[in-house]
Amino acid sequence: MLHKVRSLGLQGIYGYEVSAECDLAGGLPNFDIVGLPDAAVKEARERVRSAIKNNGYSFPVGRITVNLAPANLRKSGTVYDLPIFVGILTASGQLDWCDPDCAFVGELSLSGTLRPVVGMLPMALAAREAGIERLFVPADSAPEATLAEGLTVYPVENVEQLAEHLSGREQIPPAPPWSQEGEDLPMPDFAEVRGQEQVKRMLEIAAAGGHNAAMIGPPGSGKSMLARRLPSILPPMTRREALEATQIHSVMGLTTKDHPLLTQRPFRSPHHTISAGGMAGGGNPFPRPGEISLAHHGVLFLDELPEFHKDVVEVLRQPMEEGKVTVVRSAASETYPSHFMLLCAMNPCKCGWFGHPSGRCRCTPAQVKRYLGKLSGPMLDRIDLFSEVPPLEFENLADRSPGEPSAAIRARVTKARERQSKRFGPDGPHCNAAMGQAEIRRFCALDDEGQALMKGAYEHMGLTARSYDRILRVARTIADLDESENIQTHHLAEAIQYRETEYFSV
């Protein structure tokens, strides 16, 4: 007897429908799973066999064939345990059930309890697109599945509970939609930072326009402290942004039943020993998202930038421009989104003390140049804002009065982002940093005085066409923070100031 059960699978960070076709036939006892299954899927045979026997059912004697269609896509993971279990019991007549609008996803333990699965959100979104109305998932994965909306999600604790529901004897209450009320976690506040007003201003501009930024200064000047407070002034994520970012984290197993949805923008800070594959994404045989995708709609913070391997830094160049990264492997090719803000921190030399008033640096000019030369010109050209972080004076450290809180800065940033959203519309760039040539020509026009200033800066600083556009984008953001319709000369002058630093002219 043949019975089909609808299920779901993952390809990259997106879900797709899978049909588990369970066929029982006579012959010598055998249990085969076909449809390009990996080792974890093949091991479902033993988990399903034990779950059937340990819950009082009879495991069919004969030839059992399970086909996971479409058979041309490789299946991986443990999500197919539950649909195989339901298919075998229904095909053998031990479960009287048939509903084409239902789908099942879940990993079984040997006792028949259900364990949570990774990638629940993209699979639930795929279920909604496929017209599935009812989705049966492990109880711990149910909050994440409800984020897809438009589905009735049933949280299943064990197969006995599921069998009672399908038989109509005892219904499983649907999972309530997950609410994010009260879910905001506390973040470090800019009020705790002493001094460094110029750097705070730069970070405010970066947050308001989604610009890449770099901080250069000696050890102990507060670069890392400032960087970790950047998320506290970023504008709230929209529902669409939150779902996009959560899909990536879900596939990587970084969501929980208590926090199934990212309510705050991601902040990723990988160690400088990370590989190029770990940064961009990779793995064999199937690629997985890297740090630049996990930072989607958030911040990628690279502390001690020159200490990262050159290949790791250079792999950022294309994703920073295109907002996506394509990872190619022999078995598959996947494209992941990577719209992120790059924030870098670095010392001015190997010992870290070049230019410090104490004079403790012993690096020669050649050593300083070699240290900073680890960063290529094309990479530096993709950074919008540079700021030197000077060592703190004693008066700043002794001052106990709180600085401006993050909430006040965030209010200005959010207001600037709202101006950008209104300007670009729903189908335009999501922030000033993402403006293309058409938007730059339309919204970044300069008057005669601004043109003269820009011409002088272009010739004096040796700017490239890319850095020219980046200055205009930053100037547009400064004007938005100033609630100005047009870019004024002082807006442009401030934007130019953030492109120039003495450290890269050593």
Side-chain angles (χ1 to χ4, degrees):
M1 183 177 178
L2 174 67
H3 189 80
K4 298 180 181 179
V5 179
R6 300 177 80 177
S7 185
L8 300 146
L10 283 174
Q11 186 174 22
I13 61 170
Y14 303 104
Y16 66 98
E17 184 179 357
V18 174
S19 176
E21 303 171 348
C22 301
D23 179 66
L24 274 60
L28 295 175
N30 193 31
F31 189 176
D32 284 327
I33 298 178
V34 297
L36 289 182
D38 70 355
V41 178
K42 291 179 180 178
E43 289 172 354
R45 294 175 298 187
E46 303 309 320
R47 292 190 293 270
V48 170
R49 189 196 311 272
S50 297
I52 289 176
K53 291 182 176 180
N54 290 330
N55 282 273
Y57 296 101
S58 174
F59 190 79
V61 177
R63 185 175 183 85
I64 303 173
T65 304
V66 176
N67 178 43
L68 301 177
N72 63 322
L73 295 178
R74 187 170 291 276
K75 316 303 184 304
S76 61
T78 57
V79 299
Y80 306 108
D81 293 6
L82 189 59
I84 292 174
F85 174 91
V86 172
I88 290 176
L89 287 190
T90 306
S92 62
Q94 301 179 72
L95 191 61
D96 185 13
W97 165 87
C98 183
D99 188 344
D101 295 326
C102 288
F104 301 82
V105 170
E107 175 187 340
L108 292 177
S109 70
L110 299 184
S111 64
T113 58
L114 269 71
R115 295 193 174 100
V117 295
V118 299
M120 191 66 255
L121 176 57
M123 288 190 288
L125 292 171
R128 185 185 66 187
E129 293 299 319
I132 293 170
E133 298 178 0
R134 289 171 288 281
L135 185 61
F136 293 84
V137 302
D140 287 348
S141 298
E144 187 174 327
T146 62
L147 298 175
E149 300 179 344
L151 288 171
T152 302
V153 178
Y154 293 96
V156 183
E157 297 283 352
N158 52 64
V159 295
E160 183 179 358
Q161 180 191 32
L162 177 63
E164 291 291 312
H165 176 94
L166 296 179
S167 300
R169 291 188 289 270
E170 185 174 349
Q171 297 295 303
I172 300 174
W178 183 80
S179 172
Q180 66 184 57
E181 293 181 3
E183 288 294 319
D184 286 342
L185 302 176
M187 290 184 287
D189 199 289
F190 269 97
E192 303 163 348
V193 180
R194 304 283 184 262
Q196 307 296 12
E197 297 304 323
Q198 179 181 347
V199 189
K200 292 179 185 177
R201 170 66 174 172
M202 182 204 70
L203 292 176
E204 179 180 342
I205 295 170
H211 302 288
N212 304 319
M215 299 178 290
I216 310 165
S221 55
K223 300 185 297 296
S224 299
M225 183 180 186
L226 286 159
R228 297 191 181 280
R229 281 153 180 75
L230 178 59
S232 68
I233 65 172
L234 292 175
M237 284 198 292
T238 64
R239 176 75 176 183
R240 179 186 61 81
E241 289 176 334
L243 289 176
E244 287 180 3
T246 302
Q247 278 186 260
I248 303 171
H249 285 246
S250 175
V251 169
M252 298 297 288
L254 300 178
T255 55
T256 65
K257 64 176 182 179
D258 296 322
H259 299 95
L261 179 70
L262 293 185
T263 57
Q264 296 171 350
R265 295 187 180 273
F267 182 85
R268 303 294 299 183
S269 179
H271 192 260
H272 64 260
T273 56
I274 189 173
S275 66
M279 183 67 76
N284 283 312
F286 301 104
R288 291 162 61 84
E291 288 293 329
I292 61 175
S293 296
L294 289 169
H296 185 53
H297 291 313
V299 178
L300 177 65
F301 175 49
L302 303 185
D303 201 3
E304 305 298 345
L305 180 62
E307 300 299 331
F308 283 80
H309 195 277
K310 187 174 182 179
D311 291 347
V312 176
V313 177
E314 295 302 310
V315 83
L316 298 174
R317 286 162 51 177
Q318 185 178 354
M320 288 170 66
E321 290 289 315
E322 298 182 358
K324 61 183 179 181
V325 58
T326 299
V327 183
V328 180
R329 293 294 182 268
S330 59
S333 173
E334 299 293 346
T335 298
Y336 303 120
S338 59
H339 286 287
F340 60 90
M341 283 178 57
L342 177 65
L343 180 61
C344 308
M346 56 185 292
N347 295 326
C349 66
K350 185 67 175 178
C351 75
W353 301 106
F354 177 74
H356 194 274
S358 65
R360 71 182 76 179
C361 178
R362 295 294 181 264
C363 298
T364 65
Q367 289 174 324
V368 175
K369 187 174 183 179
R370 184 165 55 250
Y371 182 74
L372 297 178
K374 294 180 179 179
L375 305 176
S376 69
M379 185 62 200
L380 293 174
D381 209 29
R382 286 167 167 80
I383 297 177
D384 304 307
L385 300 149
F386 292 87
S387 180
E388 297 173 16
V389 187
L392 286 171
E393 302 290 340
F394 176 79
E395 289 74 13
N396 295 126
L397 294 173
D399 185 8
R400 295 300 174 186
S401 59
E404 185 178 24
S406 293
I409 304 174
R410 190 185 197 190
R412 295 195 296 269
V413 168
T414 302
K415 195 171 183 179
R417 284 288 185 104
E418 289 172 352
R419 290 176 65 89
Q420 296 166 39
S421 297
K422 184 178 180 180
R423 179 191 304 129
F424 300 135
D427 299 324
H430 62 281
C431 62
N432 284 339
M435 280 193 292
Q437 290 301 315
E439 290 83 13
I440 291 175
R441 286 194 300 270
R442 182 178 178 186
F443 301 115
C444 299
L446 302 177
D447 57 19
D448 293 341
E449 188 177 355
Q451 287 282 15
L453 177 61
M454 194 68 197
K455 180 181 178 182
Y458 189 87
E459 295 174 351
H460 173 71
M461 299 170 62
L463 300 176
T464 65
R466 180 185 288 114
S467 55
Y468 171 84
D469 289 343
R470 290 186 179 275
I471 287 177
L472 291 179
R473 293 185 182 108
V474 172
R476 179 66 265 173
T477 299
I478 296 172
D480 288 339
L481 285 169
D482 203 23
E483 300 185 16
S484 173
E485 288 297 325
N486 300 312
I487 297 176
Q488 306 295 329
T489 305
H490 64 279
H491 301 145
L492 184 61
E494 185 178 1
I496 293 172
Q497 165 197 318
Y498 290 118
R499 287 296 304 182
E500 191 170 20
T501 174
E502 64 171 322
Y503 290 117
F504 294 104
S505 60
V506 176

